[in-house]
Amino acid sequence: MDYELKGDVPFPMALVHLNANDKVQIENGSMIYFNNSVSLDGHLNSNGKKGLGGLMSAIGRGVTSGESMFITTATSSADGGEIAVAPGNPGVIQELEVNANQQWRLNTGAFLASDESVSYNMVRQKISGALFGGTGGFFIMETRGTGVMLVSAYGDLIPLDLTDAKDYAIDNDHVVAWSQNLDYNIEPASGIVGFKTGEGLVTRFSGTGRVYVQTRNLQALADLLKPLLPTNNSN
């Protein structure tokens, strides 16, 4: 993917440059603008399935992950095509390499754009991970293919490199992406039921690989803003 980042943090956008017949996949609703060489086509993100099976897969993806059922493909009819995309949250945009040796799992809302040769699908996760992050169920997003993928984060994006001798317990709302080969389990942060410190549940990753964490989380922002929002006092 040929792209450049425009604008300053915390409000960057990715300007993707396309040659004739090039395609790029973008998250539904992330487009800012495109020029007259580019056309957009929305389609179900159906894990490669067709017909009724594809429709049910896309519906299941929306229900279990909170992600859109649709994904958009931008295609350029000539050299010089341009499309600009940006996430809904303030923060950074980060490139992740996807290949045979490195596939990723993503938390809800992390995906922004990718080469056509990269996809991300819903895969069933183990029961001990069913409370993970914003996914809200027994499925998690996992990449396939080879190419470049852009992800977004609220705040900055920091890599944590794990080894068999060093693991991390991470607040679910701060996890953006992690190496597919890492194992993870939900556990209390501390205390008898995990709430003595006010931290609640965390995800403990183990194995050898990388986790990307965002330095802020949207739920904390929502909690800060809640007292400022008007209340409905109507009878």
Side-chain angles (χ1 to χ4, degrees):
M1 185 190 307
D2 180 14
Y3 73 95
E4 56 182 317
L5 297 182
K6 298 276 194 176
D8 296 325
V9 175
F11 303 111
M13 72 176 193
L15 178 61
V16 182
H17 302 282
L18 302 170
N19 291 323
N21 301 316
D22 281 351
K23 296 183 178 183
V24 63
Q25 298 183 105
I26 64 173
E27 177 64 2
N28 191 43
S30 66
M31 186 275 297
I32 299 176
Y33 66 82
F34 55 92
N35 67 9
N36 61 359
S37 296
V38 174
S39 60
L40 302 183
D41 175 46
H43 55 91
L44 289 171
N45 194 347
S46 57
N47 285 9
K49 300 177 182 178
K50 298 183 182 298
L52 181 60
L55 175 61
M56 297 307 296
S57 178
I59 292 173
R61 160 189 158 83
V63 171
T64 59
S65 73
E67 293 284 327
S68 170
M69 292 167 48
F70 299 92
I71 195 166
T72 300
T73 299
T75 304
S76 184
S77 60
D79 292 349
E82 292 184 348
I83 182 169
V85 295
N89 54 271
V92 298
I93 297 171
Q94 171 77 42
E95 174 185 319
L96 297 184
E97 187 72 26
V98 179
N99 55 53
N101 298 317
Q102 181 63 81
Q103 298 292 334
W104 300 93
R105 288 177 170 172
L106 308 175
N107 207 345
T108 304
F111 175 79
L112 179 62
S114 72
D115 291 323
E116 185 190 20
S117 56
V118 174
S119 64
Y120 72 103
N121 302 314
M122 302 306 298
V123 296
R124 186 180 297 274
Q125 61 177 331
K126 59 187 181 180
I127 294 176
S128 60
L131 294 176
F132 182 81
T135 59
F138 292 95
F139 295 85
I140 200 74
M141 290 172 283
E142 185 175 281
T143 63
R144 296 179 184 175
T146 300
V148 169
M149 177 176 62
L150 300 181
V151 297
S152 65
Y154 175 37
D156 206 351
L157 195 59
I158 307 297
L160 296 177
D161 290 314
L162 282 67
T163 66
D164 290 330
K166 181 176 66 173
D167 61 22
Y168 286 92
I170 305 172
D171 183 287
N172 294 343
D173 289 325
H174 285 269
V175 177
V176 174
W178 68 99
S179 300
Q180 178 185 322
N181 57 292
L182 287 174
D183 194 17
Y184 59 96
N185 291 288
I186 304 295
E187 62 182 49
S190 67
I192 297 174
V193 291
F195 299 99
K196 289 175 66 175
T197 63
E199 297 300 330
L201 297 174
V202 296
T203 303
R204 183 171 294 277
F205 291 90
S206 59
T208 299
R210 172 169 285 190
V211 181
Y212 281 96
V213 298
Q214 58 188 10
T215 59
R216 299 291 184 270
N217 85 68
L218 289 171
Q219 185 57 53
L221 176 62
D223 291 342
L224 285 172
L225 294 176
K226 193 177 299 182
L228 304 177
L229 297 176
T231 57
N232 186 356
N233 295 321
S234 60
N235 293 324

